[in-house]
Amino acid sequence: MNTKTLQKYRFLFAIGLTLFLGVIFTGGLYAAEKKGLLDAYHAENGVACADCHENENKREAVSMVKCLECHDVEELAKATAAVQPTNPHLNRHYNTGADCNLCHHQHKTSENFCLPCHAPFNFMVP
Amino acid sequence: MSKDTEKDNKAVDQYTQNVLQNGISRRSFLSCTAMGAAGIGLMGLSGFSGKNAEAAQESHCTEFARSSDGGATLNFMPKPEPIEDSDIAETLTFDVIVVGAGASGVPAALSAAENGAKVAVLQKHPMPVSQGNTGSGIDLKTSDKAGIEALVAKLMNDNNHRCNPALLRQWAYNSGEAVKWVIDRAAKGGATVEDQGSKPQFAIRKVNGYTLNYVTSFFGPKPYTTGDGIRALAKTAEKAGVKFFFNMPASQLVQNNADEVNGVIAKGRDGKYRKFMANKGVILATGDYQNNKAMCDYFIPDLKYFGRKQMDRTGDGFAMAYWAGGVIEPIGHTKMLHDFDAGPASMCDMPFLAVNRSGSRFVNETVAMSLFNNYLRDPENAGHYNQVFDADYMTTAANWPGGKLVPPEGLKNYMPDDPSPKHGVFESQINTHSADTLEELAKKLGCDPATFAASVKRYNELCAAGKDDDFGKPAELMAPVKKAPFYGIHRRVRVSTICSGMLVNENHQALDADGKTIKGLYVIGNLGGGFYGGVDYPLTVFGLSLGRCYTFGYMSGKHVAKL
Ligand SMILES: Cc1cc2nc3c(=O)[nH]c(=O)nc-3n(C[C@H](O)[C@H](O)[C@H](O)COP(=O)(O)OP(=O)(O)OC[C@H]3O[C@@H](n4cnc5c(N)ncnc54)[C@H](O)[C@@H]3O)c2cc1C
């Protein structure tokens, strides 16, 4: 984790909550019914739509580079080093560089990219 | 930029002639603007009527390549978007640009650097990536010339005579040197590698009575692979001055007014374009296209329901070479589908009873594992089958050809349910089981127990009768399955690679639809065509695929550096 950035966001979260909620609910689709998705979790943690979608009017796929503004791959690899049966953030195909979006989705259920090829790698992707 | 001379006056061989006539190029798949007199001329030759040629001019063809009979739109070949110079964040210049850091690209880069070129490698992945363990070549000094030619002839036969013999000979006469070089340079970069010599090639030590010896590189044992080996080789390359750019997928080639390729444009993860100019040439080594569904459905629809073994191989190199004027080998590409991992590799070609996913016998089991995919193409089977044998296999199968038996103690290494520590395997891929009843075994293998039991019963009857009335397997290879514990290996063949590609000459230079070299453009590895051509990749020379990749990387690197 990119600790500094995250702390900044946790702090901002308290002040910004109402503002963020406004954005979420105008988004309609992303409201309570989708509870448990990453967009909701990010919002709860003070990450606004605009933090990922720079262009408010053009909401499209977000490059992994964006995720790396707040998350650090080395720290992630450490954080999940003990995950069984294998570390999703440090693997032989991509080392620490796998595209986050292969597994984590923001507005729909995340997926386990490894599973189709490795039946035993049945970890749950948040 | 290139001093290399045209060879178009040379008589074109049968293979090249066929690909020029039937392959996929901008000539046969017109983009509207390319529709010229020459195009119509060729269509006339191959029997397309003028009406069909006109159909090709209809809409859509500005966005996608479209077939000359109007029937197909190659929507997997989107025309490269024009990129303005103002959108280029950075321009860098080298002598040679290698695209793809795999089994052929990394050797090509190092070879070019050792021959004096300033080299950059653009790699899609965050690191060099490749796969497999064994790569081979012929030891010229200790092999009969007639033996080398006999092996080339054997490979031609394996390829159903649909390949370019000049390319096979290029491998045959240069691979010993190239594979030795890869072993040496990878070891210098810290790889775990050995030369197994002729040992793994026991079946082809003599061909037509002539003697052959081999250089066989082995990166392993598993889970260590050529992927690790290629990363070590890349370290040696970096020391030799090669510059690597990771997370940097190339998206289009740059051509000058004379249509010579002199650069590559790549898009970094930051979304910015970078231009890499090449004084001498560009070597495309992006591997196959197994992860491009539309492209697979078009060129090799057999693969529709099979799993894959690689990722991100979306055929980028095909699109780049195609739009630069290159020719893709005609439909009916060669595939490689294996499973050496679920159980011992040495038992995969032994003719044990085999049943499909539901539990029915489906083939004369003397068929090699590498061909089983042809019987398991449907969505239900999707490459799954099971080898089944009983407690007596060490004696009943003791004299069978095609492999080597692993005793019950050793089978535990392949059993996910057995607590023993594993070694030399991919732990997530092992899938061998034992059970005291057939029903229990069927369940472990995922078969329908009733179907499975009926198949075994029928098979045992055929064994007792001493005649395989159902599939004609030789009686001496029929061993009943009746004594517990019963064993099953659940194999699942998946696409290791597709090994058909772009038309090249024996220097690995891409040819255009007129059979002329596209100056500045080299194509190697599985992106290169002309080396196979059969329905399936042949397992005659163990490690031919990697051996060919190393060899052509080594050769093309030298060739381009000397321009
Ligand atoms: C599991 C498995 C086991 C195998 N075992 C063996 C074996 O034991 N022996 C054998 O001979 N063969 C084996 N093979 C086949 C062998 O691995 C391949 O034939 C060989 O790796 C092909 O080499 P290549 O250079 O063409 O492509 P790869 O080695 O696949 O390299 C292509 C590279 O290009 C990069 N790339 C793709 N697109 C772009 C782009 N747009 N820009 C930049 N870079 C790009 C990719 O990231 C990749 O690293 C095996 C294959 C598999 C999957």
Side-chain angles (χ1 to χ4, degrees), chain A residues 63-65 68 91-100 102 113 115-121, chain B residues 125-127 129 223-225 228 231 247 269-271 308-309 311-312 426-429 492 494:
Chain A
S63 152
M64 170 182 176
V65 176
L68 301 185
N91 64 65
R92 78 187 274 117
H93 306 294
Y94 299 97
N95 201 11
T96 57
D99 189 331
C100 324
L102 288 174
F113 170 76
L115 195 62
C117 298
H118 298 281
F121 294 178
Chain B
H125 279 111
M127 58 182 180
V129 173
Y224 192 92
T225 68
D228 303 284
R231 286 186 279 281
N247 297 315
R269 267 194 173 155
D270 54 9
R308 301 297 195 256
K309 286 201 179 194
M311 49 215 72
D312 308 304
F426 295 129
E427 273 202 53
S428 72
Q429 309 291 330
R492 175 191 176 200
R494 292 182 282 164

Side-chain angles (χ1 to χ4, degrees), chain A residues 87-126:
Chain A
N87 185 350
H89 298 126
L90 174 64
N91 64 65
R92 78 187 274 117
H93 306 294
Y94 299 97
N95 201 11
T96 57
D99 189 331
C100 324
N101 300 308
L102 288 174
C103 292
H104 298 291
H105 299 306
Q106 302 300 321
H107 313 302
K108 59 181 181 205
T109 313
S110 291
E111 69 182 293
N112 180 341
F113 170 76
C114 319
L115 195 62
C117 298
H118 298 281
F121 294 178
N122 55 356
F123 41 64
M124 292 297 293
V125 182

Side-chain angles (χ1 to χ4, degrees), chain B residues 161-202:
Chain B
H161 310 280
R162 288 174 80 230
C163 59
N164 181 351
L167 287 168
L168 286 183
R169 290 203 172 87
Q170 235 235 353
W171 169 80
Y173 289 98
N174 297 284
S175 52
E177 178 184 332
V179 176
K180 270 192 194 134
W181 173 83
V182 164
I183 293 172
D184 175 75
R185 300 304 193 271
K188 286 194 170 112
T192 308
V193 59
E194 60 170 311
D195 178 358
Q196 295 183 327
S198 300
K199 219 170 38 183
Q201 318 289 1
F202 47 85

Side-chain angles (χ1 to χ4, degrees), chain B residues 439-475:
Chain B
E439 185 173 13
E440 198 192 331
L441 184 65
K443 281 189 189 141
K444 286 187 171 178
L445 297 174
C447 295
D448 169 48
T451 310
F452 185 84
S455 299
V456 172
K457 184 165 169 279
R458 171 69 182 159
Y459 188 69
N460 287 347
E461 284 165 11
L462 296 171
C463 293
K467 274 191 187 141
D468 182 4
D469 284 349
D470 293 352
F471 291 96
K473 187 163 69 169

